[in-house]
Amino acid sequence: TGGSEVYKGMAGNKYFFGGFDRIYECIGGDWANHTAVRLLKARGTLVKIGHHMNAVTFDETPIWWQELKLVEAYFEIQKIRYPDCLSLKIDVPSSMMQYAVPNITLQPLIENSIRHGILLKEDKKGTITILGRVLEDTIELQVIDDGIGMPQEVVDRLNAGLPMEESHETTGSGYGIHNINERIQNYYGKAYQVHFSSVPGQGTVVTITLPPM
């Protein structure tokens, strides 16, 4: 899928932009000015980077710092939608920031961690950690959450490149986590992939392996 189609799909996802209507609700309240500014700033970042990603060609693949800025803005909106529930930690070395990544790779994973992991916990609280490493022949990025985890049959379907069952499926545009692996392999070849592991009751780890380009 090219950058244009991916961004159009993301832009049509009601969950991706679901917090924007809160802007208008917030402006009318005494407590709202700071929250409204946070929403507007995050939305501006999403639109700015999203339009850039929409414009790039295959030879101008977005780089990691852009992807992480997009994730931070998306996560800011989710923190406002779900106050006192979500925490994000990013530990990615500066040496990794200029490498290429297929656009909108992380956001579906973050969304899945929130909606199908953390928010299904009894207290609806949790942390998502993004870890990056530059290895000898590859770069590796992990998205780790402490949500409810996934059954092994769901993990096996994802690692086989199959969509999740309907109860787990990303709604809205239909742009879900199951096609990230296909997109990565279309860009870089079969040697590179997304791998899922999960322990029910403890959380999920998604490992992305890419070439250092």
Side-chain angles (χ1 to χ4, degrees), residues 116-131:
H116 301 302
I118 293 171
L119 293 181
L120 295 183
K121 293 170 67 177
E122 186 174 350
D123 63 1
K124 299 185 184 300
K125 294 183 179 181
T127 299
I128 297 174
T129 302
I130 299 175
L131 297 178

Side-chain angles (χ1 to χ4, degrees), residues 14 17-18 33 36 42-43 48 54 66 73 75 79 82 87 96 103 119 121 123 125 133 146 149 204:
K14 64 180 179 181
F17 291 101
N33 289 338
R43 183 182 187 276
K48 181 178 180 180
N54 189 34
Q66 295 170 322
F75 201 84
K79 285 172 64 179
Y82 306 106
S87 177
M96 187 173 169
N103 53 7
L119 293 181
K121 293 170 67 177
D123 63 1
K125 294 183 179 181
R133 295 192 300 169
D146 56 2
T204 299

Side-chain angles (χ1 to χ4, degrees), residues 87-157:
S87 177
L88 177 66
K89 298 179 181 179
I90 297 177
D91 184 4
V92 177
S94 58
S95 59
M96 187 173 169
M97 292 298 183
Q98 298 304 313
Y99 289 126
V101 56
N103 53 7
I104 324 300
T105 293
L106 290 181
Q107 184 272 330
L109 299 174
I110 299 297
E111 179 180 335
N112 187 71
S113 290
I114 293 172
R115 295 183 57 220
H116 301 302
I118 293 171
L119 293 181
L120 295 183
K121 293 170 67 177
E122 186 174 350
D123 63 1
K124 299 185 184 300
K125 294 183 179 181
T127 299
I128 297 174
T129 302
I130 299 175
L131 297 178
R133 295 192 300 169
V134 179
L135 305 177
E136 184 175 353
D137 298 317
T138 62
I139 59 174
E140 181 181 277
L141 199 86
Q142 291 186 313
V143 177
I144 305 167
D145 71 62
D146 56 2
I148 64 167
M150 295 186 291
Q152 189 59 45
E153 57 266 27
V154 175
V155 174
D156 291 343
R157 285 182 65 86

Side-chain angles (χ1 to χ4, degrees), residues 196-210:
F196 296 83
S197 61
S198 190
V199 178
Q202 296 185 24
T204 299
V205 178
V206 184
T207 303
I208 303 169
T209 305
L210 297 174

